[in-house]
């Protein structure tokens, strides 16, 4: 018999993982588990329990405490009490706990893996070889950050109490992704596992108690969506870190709007898997298996949209069908299976109905003739062809083992198809031409790219999405920063109130000689009149009318966003080019320093010395922005594999910036300069009260070689403009430095396209202080890190 035919005819014998220890652990708990609050397992205050099921059989596994308001309150209060002393521990002491946790996970890895496979339905092979080692790795990696926190993050403090809500697809891994960085940096945690899969989190919580983690540092409240929303709404939670569906992420964004809580959202995806004609097709077929049939396709970054170059599509799809026919589906504890069970009946039904609708819509469906277990929730690997880019099945996240395939002719078409999605989590690119692969990696709008690989993860490499796949990163240095607050930005609750006295215009004679009637909006590199033709008066502190600015409306804002969107050459230009332009703007402002000082004095009533200082600081700041333009660079990660991952900070795109009244020229320049130096284009709204220094600045911009559309300036009623910007679906981010109401509205209205938000009180920032108003503290909000994995080897 030849080796080939041996492999073709191989018959797998049963190889069932022993679940004795896991069943004994369940029995020890009386198959009934409480919450973990203040270091103890506690019964739910309301006495209610829910059942968690085994997806492979549909049978009950255990009864779990159902958390309601009193439970959440107790957990948050325990976390609050524990936080100051946890944060005060030396980094080394905290590192020791995290390190002990990593070791404990390794020691108990088989038990955790079996519990995970039972509760979630995933193959034991995946839990044992991927999820649990990675969970241990996260604790070990973050122990390191705790150890060197004093040197690396001395300008930051922990955020406080973190509410963490996770989904069911990687329960133990998600626990580690969330808990390890939060605890490492001195925060305390209230975590809610998904209602379908609470067991591994409870087991890990038990291990945390066993290693002696101080009570209250880690609390686990079990329950459903209502329990989650109680954590989100708790006034004593400083940050919410959520992983789950885009729908719930949107809800959480609107519920946290205006509360001052930090928020990170790791949401859904519909990731492209691109196969070019020069790819190693056999390897790419294996890549597809790892991409869409790993964890039954219940993976946020599953490569669920296969895009194959037309010239190799037939051969590639034939190879893929052949490979699909060899996949093995079975009980999760069988060690030789490729796919286990779907999480529950509801998810199974959802997958089936999406496939049914696609077929009714004209798709061709291929499912290999495989035998599925008779009980439990199983779905065969599925390939849908003859689908359209706009089909529901191509646009909607399925969260199941269903791949839809389309073809493309050119790399440009491949990129266009890839980016034709509201999501932007990940992409897998297959080509033997390194230049092409990196070109595509740079152009796809996602947070993670795997070149000739799929679904690689490591704690040192950030993970997270763009667009409606959410914001924030988990892992890497950027993930650590999500759990810290810069000391230079005060944190008092209720921030967002201006310190300036409210201005009331007096009815005085106007000083016509000083009125500059020529002020216009600046859109697409041109000075233009406001659409509606209305103006807004600007007064000096003693009530003199000193100028008028156009009252921009919805249409002006839309024109400005369109102009900024078109100026995309700026985002792909290099830092050297951007630096030169920023220096040139600075020089031109410097040449007119006296004129700007006078304007500031006239407008705001500050002394000429103060005004001159503000102008000088503005020139200085523009130079700093120029300096950062080619220095806010990425890093090269060396995760445990043969290869590298490049963490590249990419500009966010188009940012709407609402500037404060405080230091009206300097704050505008600090914010706009920081945004554009790293390649963003902006629609900026200057101080409503004192806009004239900025409208004068338009002339400086016009003479400084800044490409049209990079900076657009709209004056007028700040709140109205802010709301239009926040709702605009073609704006990628909004920064509001203003009143609490404006900040709350911007966050609440940003949910349409889930744009990134940065909201602060203008007065909470000392604009003269470089530590607070320039450099990394702001630049971090002007970029999102894309991680490109590039393994070595043939
Ligand atoms: P889900 O949003 O329904 O639930 C996730 C968690 O949120 C659960 O713990 C749930 O109880 C809780 N929840 C539900 N309603 C809530 C509410 N109103 N307020 C607060 N919490 C609430 O998602 P799911 O179906 O459990 O998980 C699948 C989703 O998770 C998919 O969309 C997937 O793409 C996403 N996911 C994303 C990542 C990532 O890193 N981007 C990773 C894994 C899963």
């Amino acid at each position: 018999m030849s080796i080939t035919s041996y492999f073709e005819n191989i018959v797998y014998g049963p190889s069932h993982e022993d679940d004795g220890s896991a069943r004994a652990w369940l029995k020890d708990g009386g198959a009934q588990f409480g919450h973990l609050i203040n270091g103890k397992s506690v019964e739910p205050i309301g006495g209610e329990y829910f059942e968690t099921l085994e997806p492979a059989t549909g049978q009950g596994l255990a009864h779990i405490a159902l958390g309601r308001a009193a439970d959440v309150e107790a957990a948050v209060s325990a976390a609050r009490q524990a936080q100051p002393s946890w944060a005060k521990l030396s980094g080394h002491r905290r590192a020791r706990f995290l390190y002990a946790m990593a070791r404990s996970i390794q020691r108990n890895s088989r038990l955790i893996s079996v519990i995970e496979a039972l509760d979630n339905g995933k193959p034991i092979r995946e839990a044992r070889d991927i999820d649990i080692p990675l969970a241990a790795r996260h604790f070990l990696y973050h122990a390191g950050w705790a150890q060197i926190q004093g040197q690396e993050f001395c300008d930051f403090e922990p955020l406080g109490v973190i509410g963490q809500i996770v989904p069911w697809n990687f329960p133990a891994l998600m626990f580690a992704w969330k808990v390890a960085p939060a605890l490492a940096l001195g925060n305390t945690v209230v975590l809610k596992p998904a209602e379908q899969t609470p067991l591994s989190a409870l087991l890990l919580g038990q291990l945390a108690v066993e290693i002696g983690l101080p009570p209250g540092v880690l609390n686990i409240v079990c329950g459903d969506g209502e329990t989650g929303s109680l954590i989100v709404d708790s006034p004593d939670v400083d940050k919410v870190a959520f992983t789950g569906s885009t729908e719930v992420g949107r809800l959480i964004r609107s519920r946290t709007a205006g509360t001052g809580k930090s928020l990170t959202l790791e949401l859904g995806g519909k990731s492209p898997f691109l196969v070019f004609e020069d790819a190693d097709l056999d390897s790419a077929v294996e890549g597809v298996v790892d991409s869409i049939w790993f964890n039954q396709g219940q993976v946020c970054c599953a490569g669920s949209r296969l895009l194959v170059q037309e010239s190799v599509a037939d051969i590639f799809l034939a190879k893929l069908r052949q490979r699909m026919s060899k996949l093995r589906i079975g009980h999760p504890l069988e060690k030789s299976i490729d796919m286990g069970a779907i999480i529950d009946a509801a998810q199974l039904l959802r997958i089936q109905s999406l496939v049914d609708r696609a077929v009714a819509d004209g798709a061709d469906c291929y499912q290999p003739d495989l035998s599925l277990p008779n009980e439990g929730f199983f779905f065969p690997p599925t390939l849908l062809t003859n689908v359209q880019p706009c089909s529901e099945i191509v646009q909607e996240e399925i969260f199941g083992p269903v791949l839809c395939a389309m073809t493309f002719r050119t790399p440009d078409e491949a990129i266009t198809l890839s980016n034709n999605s509201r999501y932007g989590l990940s992409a897998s690119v297959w080509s033997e031409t390194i230049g092409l692969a990196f070109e595509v990696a740079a152009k796809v709008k996602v947070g993670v790219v795997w070149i000739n690989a799929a679904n690689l993860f490591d704690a040192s490499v950030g993970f997270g999405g763009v667009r409606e796949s959410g914001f924030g990163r988990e892992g890497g240095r950027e993930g650590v920063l999500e759990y810290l607050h810069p000391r230079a930005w005060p944190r008092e609750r209720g921030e967002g109130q201006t310190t300036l006295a409210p201005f009331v215009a007096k009815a005085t004679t106007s000083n016509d000689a000083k009125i500059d009637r020529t002020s216009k909006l600046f859109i697409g590199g041109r000075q233009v009149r406001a659409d509606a033709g209305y103006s807004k008066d600007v007064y000096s502190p003693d009530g003199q009318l000193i100028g008028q600015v156009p009252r921009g409306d919805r249409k002006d804002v839309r024109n400005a966003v369109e102009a900024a969107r078109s100026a995309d050459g700026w985002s792909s230009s290099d830092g050297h080019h951007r630096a030169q332009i920023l220096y040139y703007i600075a020089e031109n402002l410097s040449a007119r320093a006296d004129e700007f000082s006078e304007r500031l004095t006239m407008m705001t009533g500050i002394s000429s010395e103060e005004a001159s200082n503000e102008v000088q600081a503005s020139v200085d700041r523009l130079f700093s922005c120029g300096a950062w333009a080619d220095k806010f660079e990425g890093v090269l990660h060396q995760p445990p594999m043969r290869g590298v991952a490049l963490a590249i900070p990419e500009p966010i795109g188009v940012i709407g910036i609402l500037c404060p009244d405080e230091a009206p020229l300097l704050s505008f320049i600090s914010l706009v300069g920081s945004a554009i130096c790293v390649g963003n284009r902006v629609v900026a709204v200057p101080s409503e009260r004192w806009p004239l220094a900025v409208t004068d600045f338009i002339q400086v911009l016009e003479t400084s070689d800044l490409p049209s559309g990079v900076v657009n300036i709209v004056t007028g009623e700040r709140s109205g403009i802010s709301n239009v910007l926040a709702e605009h679906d073609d704006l990628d981010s909004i920064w509001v430095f203003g009143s609490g109401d404006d900040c709350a509205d911007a966050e609440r209205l940003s949910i349409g396209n889930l744009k990134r938000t940065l909201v602060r009180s203008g007065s909470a920032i000392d604009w003269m202080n470089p530590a607070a108003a320039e450099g990394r503290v702001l630049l971090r909000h002007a970029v999102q890190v894309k991680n490109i994995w590039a393994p070595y080897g043939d």
Side-chain angles (χ1 to χ4, degrees):
M1 190 190 263
S2 73
I3 291 183
T4 318
S5 63
Y6 177 79
F7 273 107
E8 270 164 11
N9 298 309
I10 194 165
V11 178
Y12 292 85
S15 175
H16 206 77
E17 174 76 29
D18 177 17
D19 61 0
S21 305
R23 300 272 175 202
W25 179 75
L26 289 169
K27 214 167 150 201
D28 268 1
Q32 179 160 301
F33 293 83
H35 310 297
L36 175 70
I37 298 178
N38 216 10
K40 292 196 179 66
S41 172
V42 297
E43 291 189 7
I45 293 171
E48 276 184 89
Y49 287 82
F50 65 95
E51 194 174 31
T52 179
L53 302 181
E54 185 178 349
T57 60
Q59 306 293 313
L61 268 176
H63 288 92
I64 311 290
L66 180 64
R68 288 292 173 251
D71 306 292
V72 169
E73 218 171 281
V76 173
S77 138
R80 173 60 63 204
Q81 252 190 315
Q83 199 270 330
S85 39
W86 177 246
K88 259 198 216 109
L89 286 185
S90 70
H92 174 69
R93 288 288 300 142
R94 265 183 273 120
R96 294 293 289 263
F97 283 112
L98 272 95
Y99 171 75
M101 194 64 193
R103 283 281 183 248
S104 178
I105 293 173
Q106 286 170 334
R107 274 197 309 277
N108 293 282
S109 64
R110 206 41 92 95
L111 174 63
I112 310 169
S113 305
V114 176
I115 286 291
E116 195 77 325
L118 287 175
D119 203 18
N120 168 277
K122 65 175 64 208
I124 180 70
R125 184 178 52 80
E126 291 177 5
R128 182 196 63 197
D129 298 347
I130 300 170
D131 298 21
I132 307 309
L134 258 177
R137 162 90 181 124
H138 269 263
F139 276 97
L140 194 88
Y141 173 81
H142 286 97
W145 281 125
Q147 176 71 29
I148 58 175
Q149 181 177 4
Q151 293 104 292
E152 288 294 303
F153 298 109
C154 51
D155 295 336
F156 293 85
E157 60 193 22
L159 284 166
V161 174
I162 317 290
Q164 304 186 319
I165 298 168
V166 295
W168 44 259
N169 56 345
F170 292 93
L173 187 53
M174 288 293 122
F175 174 100
W177 279 28
K178 291 272 181 289
V179 171
L183 297 195
L185 282 307
N187 304 283
T188 53
V189 161
V190 176
L191 174 122
K192 190 195 86 65
E195 53 272 47
Q196 298 86 345
T197 53
L199 289 175
S200 56
L202 290 169
L203 173 53
L204 289 164
Q206 191 178 309
L207 299 184
V209 173
E210 282 169 19
I211 62 151
L213 193 72
V217 169
L218 168 66
N219 305 276
I220 301 174
V221 180
C222 303
D224 53 10
E226 193 183 326
T227 319
S229 67
L230 287 163
I231 295 175
V232 169
D233 292 343
S234 168
D236 220 12
V237 161
D238 298 296
K239 173 191 167 97
V240 176
F242 173 77
T243 298
S245 60
T246 295
E247 189 191 352
V248 176
R250 216 175 238 122
L251 198 71
I252 292 177
R253 165 71 293 178
S254 68
R255 289 186 87 113
T256 51
T259 62
K261 288 177 192 169
S262 298
L263 177 65
T264 41
L265 298 175
E266 300 286 355
L267 309 176
K270 190 76 190 180
S271 298
F273 188 104
L274 298 113
V275 182
F276 287 88
E277 60 190 3
D278 65 348
D280 171 347
L281 297 186
D282 292 317
S283 297
V285 166
E286 291 312 309
V288 173
V289 173
D290 288 343
S291 199
I292 185 68
W293 293 307
F294 169 55
N295 206 28
Q296 297 72 250
Q298 302 167 125
V299 182
C300 51
C301 50
S304 50
R305 283 189 294 148
L306 173 63
L307 302 172
V308 196
Q309 198 151 16
E310 202 172 86
S311 47
V312 293
D314 288 346
I315 177 167
F316 186 76
L317 290 174
K319 281 174 183 281
L320 188 58
R321 289 191 186 97
Q322 163 71 12
R323 180 67 176 91
M324 287 169 75
S325 68
K326 301 282 182 200
L327 290 171
R328 291 165 51 81
I329 305 183
H331 193 282
L333 292 183
E334 261 313 306
K335 289 182 223 168
S336 58
I337 59 149
D338 298 295
M339 284 171 56
I342 300 297
I343 188 71
D344 59 18
Q347 182 66 7
L348 187 63
L349 187 67
R350 178 180 147 78
I351 298 168
Q352 185 64 64
S353 42
L354 276 159
V355 170
D356 290 347
R357 285 209 293 276
V359 171
D361 218 21
D364 296 326
C365 177
Y366 171 73
Q367 290 175 331
D369 186 17
L370 303 174
S371 64
L372 302 186
N374 296 326
E375 54 176 4
F377 315 119
F378 291 88
F379 197 86
T382 301
L383 172 66
L384 295 168
T385 48
N386 201 21
V387 294
Q388 311 306 319
C390 60
S391 305
E392 179 190 41
I393 202 84
V394 175
Q395 290 297 328
E396 288 302 313
E397 182 180 44
I398 301 168
F399 229 55
V402 180
L403 177 66
C404 43
M406 291 181 295
T407 59
F408 63 86
R409 288 190 178 171
T410 62
D412 278 352
E413 195 190 350
I415 290 161
T416 306
L417 281 170
S418 296
N419 291 339
N420 179 28
S421 169
R422 63 194 173 102
Y423 295 111
L425 194 49
S426 64
S428 181
V429 182
W430 294 75
S431 165
E432 292 296 293
T433 309
I434 188 168
L436 173 65
F438 273 100
E439 173 82 5
V440 174
K443 288 185 172 164
V444 285
K445 293 193 164 70
V446 297
V448 186
V449 182
W450 295 288
I451 291 181
N452 294 326
N455 276 340
L456 300 176
F457 308 99
D458 183 58
S460 67
V461 186
F463 181 88
V466 304
R467 296 175 161 181
E468 293 183 35
S469 290
F471 41 78
R473 294 288 179 269
E474 293 186 305
R477 191 186 181 94
E478 60 268 32
V480 167
L481 286 169
E482 304 285 357
Y483 285 99
L484 292 171
H485 182 84
R487 291 187 201 278
W489 287 5
R491 296 185 61 199
E492 75 285 9
R493 287 274 178 142
E495 62 185 352
Q497 301 312 317
T498 177
T499 50
L500 299 172
F503 174 70
V504 184
K506 294 182 204 149
T508 62
T509 50
S510 71
N511 182 353
D512 281 344
K514 286 190 183 165
I515 296 179
D516 174 5
R517 293 190 182 279
T518 61
S519 168
K520 292 193 182 136
L521 307 177
F522 187 53
I523 297 178
R526 291 191 311 122
Q527 294 200 41
V528 294
R529 292 184 200 288
D531 167 62
Y534 288 107
S535 299
K536 188 169 163 32
D537 294 338
V538 181
Y539 296 92
S540 67
D542 61 357
Q544 300 285 323
L545 180 64
I546 54 168
Q548 289 178 321
V549 289
R551 208 181 272 262
D553 66 8
R554 179 175 289 272
K555 184 149 183 250
D556 299 308
V557 171
R558 288 223 283 258
N559 290 342
V561 172
E562 199 179 325
R565 179 61 60 199
S566 310
D568 55 351
W570 182 253
S571 296
S572 50
S573 68
D574 56 74
H576 171 68
H577 173 72
R578 293 195 298 266
Q580 289 185 76
I581 288 179
L582 278 148
Y583 293 140
Y584 193 21
I585 299 173
E587 273 182 58
N588 286 335
L589 176 62
S590 183
R592 296 172 59 177
D594 292 346
E595 181 195 324
F596 274 86
S597 298
E598 266 177 48
R599 181 63 111 175
L600 285 176
T601 302
M602 187 212 308
M603 239 180 13
T604 64
I606 56 177
S607 71
S608 47
E609 192 190 345
E610 286 169 319
S612 163
N613 287 345
E614 182 174 341
V615 176
Q616 190 44 52
S618 302
V619 172
D620 197 330
R621 188 118 321 144
L622 282 164
F623 263 84
S624 292
C625 293
W628 279 109
D630 53 6
K631 288 168 199 68
F632 195 63
E633 293 177 310
V635 293
L636 186 146
H637 294 298
Q638 291 168 289
M641 67 162 192
R642 287 189 61 241
V644 293
L646 310 177
I648 302 175
E650 290 189 338
I652 289 181
V654 179
I655 305 181
I657 302 180
L658 282 295
C659 300
D661 289 333
E662 290 82 2
L665 179 66
L666 178 59
S667 59
F668 170 90
I669 280 177
S670 306
L671 295 170
V672 170
S674 299
I676 66 171
C677 78
V678 288
N680 296 289
R681 297 91 75 192
V682 303
V683 176
V685 183
S687 155
E688 180 175 340
R689 187 160 163 187
W690 292 319
L692 298 182
V694 170
T695 52
D696 293 349
F697 187 68
I698 290 172
Q699 292 158 13
V700 174
L701 293 175
E702 283 179 319
T703 52
S704 303
D705 291 347
L706 184 73
S708 307
V710 174
V711 174
N712 304 276
I713 296 172
V714 179
T715 49
E717 301 288 351
R718 188 192 150 86
S719 299
I721 298 175
S722 176
N723 289 354
V724 176
L725 282 168
E727 282 177 323
H728 200 304
D729 278 346
D730 212 18
L731 193 80
D732 302 298
S733 175
I734 185 163
W735 296 0
V736 179
F737 287 74
S739 74
D741 286 349
D742 283 355
C743 293
D745 285 347
E747 287 185 326
R748 193 171 41 77
L749 297 173
S750 69
I751 61 168
N753 65 344
L754 279 174
K755 54 181 67 66
R756 284 95 194 96
T757 57
L758 169 62
V759 300
R760 293 265 131 210
S761 153
S763 60
I765 299 210
D766 174 4
W767 296 99
M768 295 296 280
N769 175 11
E774 68 175 52
R776 294 187 186 280
V777 72
L778 274 174
L779 295 177
R780 183 165 97 70
H781 296 277
V783 299
Q784 40 202 1
V785 179
K786 177 187 272 180
N787 276 284
I788 302 176
W789 292 71
Y792 299 157
D794 275 343

